[in-house]
Amino acid sequence: MLINELSKKTGLSIHTIRYYENLGMIKGLTDEKVKSNNYKHYNSNTIERLEIIIEAREVGFSLAEIKKILTSWFETTDSKPETLELFQAKIKEIDDKMKYFKQTKRLLEKVCEKIQNND
């Protein structure tokens, strides 16, 4: 499929898909027989990779972390411990953020209470 179709299937802009390709997270193939254009073709594996990128971005992984995840997921290297460590670190980061936001919320609630009581 061409990048237009890939964009429609994933909901990502063409610019974003090209950006991920420039980072080496996905790869399109050109047809060497066709000399009149440089159109790249993408297979269904690319959709899967982009879906992983989208989901990983949604939960807060950086692009560098996502690249490691993709390498671990799609290549035959045995980096399972490294991938597990990456996910566990992200869980801890989320736990720390939740703790921070709960503390911030309590502080704001106290300020609101003081404002209401002084009026």
Side-chain angles (χ1 to χ4, degrees):
M1 79 189 83
L2 296 174
I3 198 165
N4 251 355
E5 187 179 350
L6 185 61
S7 174
K8 288 176 186 170
K9 286 188 176 190
T10 61
L12 295 172
S13 70
I14 291 171
H15 174 77
T16 301
I17 293 170
R18 286 192 177 124
Y19 179 68
Y20 292 151
E21 187 168 14
N22 288 337
L23 292 176
M25 300 171 98
I26 63 168
K27 186 175 182 179
L29 302 172
T30 55
D31 188 348
E32 294 180 17
K33 297 174 191 170
V34 178
K35 302 293 182 192
S36 61
N37 63 48
N38 288 327
Y39 292 164
K40 291 186 179 179
H41 296 270
Y42 303 88
N43 60 25
S44 59
N45 175 278
T46 306
I47 293 174
E48 185 179 359
R49 291 176 80 91
L50 288 171
E51 287 172 348
I52 290 171
I53 293 169
I54 292 166
E55 290 172 3
R57 295 286 290 161
E58 286 176 359
V59 297
F61 282 100
S62 70
L63 290 174
E65 291 169 330
I66 295 170
K67 196 168 182 178
K68 287 180 186 177
I69 292 168
L70 290 171
T71 299
S72 170
W73 193 268
F74 289 100
E75 295 181 11
T76 57
T77 59
D78 185 27
S79 57
K80 193 174 185 178
E82 182 181 319
T83 304
L84 181 60
E85 187 177 307
L86 190 63
F87 279 94
Q88 289 171 333
K90 186 56 67 179
I91 290 169
K92 183 182 180 329
E93 181 183 318
I94 291 168
D95 284 341
D96 292 344
K97 284 181 181 180
M98 288 173 59
K99 183 179 176 184
Y100 168 77
F101 285 126
K102 284 179 183 178
Q103 291 171 342
T104 304
K105 180 183 176 197
R106 280 194 297 271
L107 178 63
L108 290 171
E109 287 171 341
K110 285 180 184 178
V111 171
C112 287
E113 190 177 309
K114 285 183 181 181
I115 291 171
Q116 287 176 339
N117 290 336
N118 288 336
D119 283 344

mmCIF file of all heavy atoms in Angstrom, residues 1 10 14 32 37 40 44-45 87 93 96 112:
data_model
loop_
_atom_site.group_PDB
_atom_site.id
_atom_site.type_symbol
_atom_site.label_atom_id
_atom_site.label_comp_id
_atom_site.label_asym_id
_atom_site.label_seq_id
_atom_site.Cartn_x
_atom_site.Cartn_y
_atom_site.Cartn_z
ATOM 1 N N MET A 1 0.841 -1.175 0.000
ATOM 2 C CA MET A 1 0.000 0.000 0.000
ATOM 3 C C MET A 1 0.886 1.238 0.000
ATOM 4 O O MET A 1 2.010 1.206 0.502
ATOM 5 C CB MET A 1 -0.949 -0.028 1.189
ATOM 6 C CG MET A 1 -0.342 0.373 2.517
ATOM 7 S SD MET A 1 -1.408 0.093 3.933
ATOM 8 C CE MET A 1 -1.073 -1.620 4.221
ATOM 9 N N THR A 10 -4.286 4.107 9.550
ATOM 10 C CA THR A 10 -3.753 4.302 10.895
ATOM 11 C C THR A 10 -4.243 5.587 11.557
ATOM 12 O O THR A 10 -4.135 5.723 12.775
ATOM 13 C CB THR A 10 -2.211 4.342 10.871
ATOM 14 O OG1 THR A 10 -1.781 5.439 10.052
ATOM 15 C CG2 THR A 10 -1.638 3.031 10.369
ATOM 16 N N ILE A 14 0.527 11.890 6.908
ATOM 17 C CA ILE A 14 1.640 11.466 6.053
ATOM 18 C C ILE A 14 2.950 11.993 6.618
ATOM 19 O O ILE A 14 3.962 11.287 6.647
ATOM 20 C CB ILE A 14 1.406 11.932 4.597
ATOM 21 C CG1 ILE A 14 0.235 11.157 3.996
ATOM 22 C CG2 ILE A 14 2.665 11.772 3.752
ATOM 23 C CD1 ILE A 14 -0.237 11.656 2.647
ATOM 24 N N GLU A 32 12.035 -1.177 -7.590
ATOM 25 C CA GLU A 32 13.217 -0.863 -8.391
ATOM 26 C C GLU A 32 12.940 -0.915 -9.889
ATOM 27 O O GLU A 32 13.682 -0.341 -10.680
ATOM 28 C CB GLU A 32 14.363 -1.807 -8.021
ATOM 29 C CG GLU A 32 14.853 -1.596 -6.595
ATOM 30 C CD GLU A 32 15.979 -2.535 -6.225
ATOM 31 O OE1 GLU A 32 16.610 -3.129 -7.129
ATOM 32 O OE2 GLU A 32 16.228 -2.677 -5.016
ATOM 33 N N ASN A 37 9.045 7.234 -10.538
ATOM 34 C CA ASN A 37 8.694 7.855 -9.259
ATOM 35 C C ASN A 37 9.447 7.166 -8.123
ATOM 36 O O ASN A 37 10.078 6.139 -8.310
ATOM 37 C CB ASN A 37 7.178 7.784 -9.024
ATOM 38 C CG ASN A 37 6.674 6.359 -8.918
ATOM 39 O OD1 ASN A 37 7.244 5.550 -8.200
ATOM 40 N ND2 ASN A 37 5.611 6.035 -9.624
ATOM 41 N N LYS A 40 6.927 4.786 -2.215
ATOM 42 C CA LYS A 40 7.261 3.685 -1.322
ATOM 43 C C LYS A 40 5.999 2.894 -1.037
ATOM 44 O O LYS A 40 4.909 3.437 -0.931
ATOM 45 C CB LYS A 40 7.864 4.214 -0.024
ATOM 46 C CG LYS A 40 9.241 4.825 -0.246
ATOM 47 C CD LYS A 40 9.872 5.192 1.054
ATOM 48 C CE LYS A 40 11.258 5.772 0.800
ATOM 49 N NZ LYS A 40 11.898 6.173 2.048
ATOM 50 N N SER A 44 1.561 -4.921 5.622
ATOM 51 C CA SER A 44 0.706 -4.955 6.809
ATOM 52 C C SER A 44 1.527 -4.907 8.098
ATOM 53 O O SER A 44 1.039 -4.461 9.136
ATOM 54 C CB SER A 44 -0.186 -6.192 6.790
ATOM 55 O OG SER A 44 0.600 -7.358 6.750
ATOM 56 N N ASN A 45 2.772 -5.340 8.046
ATOM 57 C CA ASN A 45 3.669 -5.260 9.199
ATOM 58 C C ASN A 45 3.846 -3.800 9.619
ATOM 59 O O ASN A 45 3.955 -3.502 10.806
ATOM 60 C CB ASN A 45 5.022 -5.901 8.841
ATOM 61 C CG ASN A 45 6.046 -5.767 9.933
ATOM 62 O OD1 ASN A 45 6.692 -4.731 10.056
ATOM 63 N ND2 ASN A 45 6.210 -6.819 10.703
ATOM 64 N N PHE A 87 9.401 -1.569 30.500
ATOM 65 C CA PHE A 87 7.995 -1.474 30.899
ATOM 66 C C PHE A 87 7.863 -1.252 32.403
ATOM 67 O O PHE A 87 7.021 -0.470 32.850
ATOM 68 C CB PHE A 87 7.218 -2.718 30.462
ATOM 69 C CG PHE A 87 6.800 -2.682 29.027
ATOM 70 C CD1 PHE A 87 7.589 -3.263 28.042
ATOM 71 C CD2 PHE A 87 5.631 -2.057 28.637
ATOM 72 C CE1 PHE A 87 7.213 -3.226 26.710
ATOM 73 C CE2 PHE A 87 5.243 -2.011 27.308
ATOM 74 C CZ PHE A 87 6.034 -2.592 26.340
ATOM 75 N N GLU A 93 7.410 5.148 36.759
ATOM 76 C CA GLU A 93 7.276 6.561 36.404
ATOM 77 C C GLU A 93 5.816 7.012 36.520
ATOM 78 O O GLU A 93 5.524 8.090 37.050
ATOM 79 C CB GLU A 93 7.782 6.777 34.975
ATOM 80 C CG GLU A 93 7.731 8.206 34.489
ATOM 81 C CD GLU A 93 8.175 8.322 33.046
ATOM 82 O OE1 GLU A 93 9.168 7.668 32.651
ATOM 83 O OE2 GLU A 93 7.519 9.080 32.302
ATOM 84 N N ASP A 96 4.870 7.267 40.188
ATOM 85 C CA ASP A 96 5.432 8.495 40.766
ATOM 86 C C ASP A 96 4.612 9.723 40.360
ATOM 87 O O ASP A 96 4.353 10.601 41.186
ATOM 88 C CB ASP A 96 6.893 8.681 40.340
ATOM 89 C CG ASP A 96 7.829 7.648 40.944
ATOM 90 O OD1 ASP A 96 7.435 6.970 41.924
ATOM 91 O OD2 ASP A 96 8.959 7.509 40.432
ATOM 92 N N CYS A 112 -8.473 25.793 48.164
ATOM 93 C CA CYS A 112 -9.870 26.103 47.858
ATOM 94 C C CYS A 112 -10.698 26.201 49.140
ATOM 95 O O CYS A 112 -11.536 27.102 49.293
ATOM 96 C CB CYS A 112 -10.463 25.050 46.925
ATOM 97 S SG CYS A 112 -9.878 25.167 45.236
#
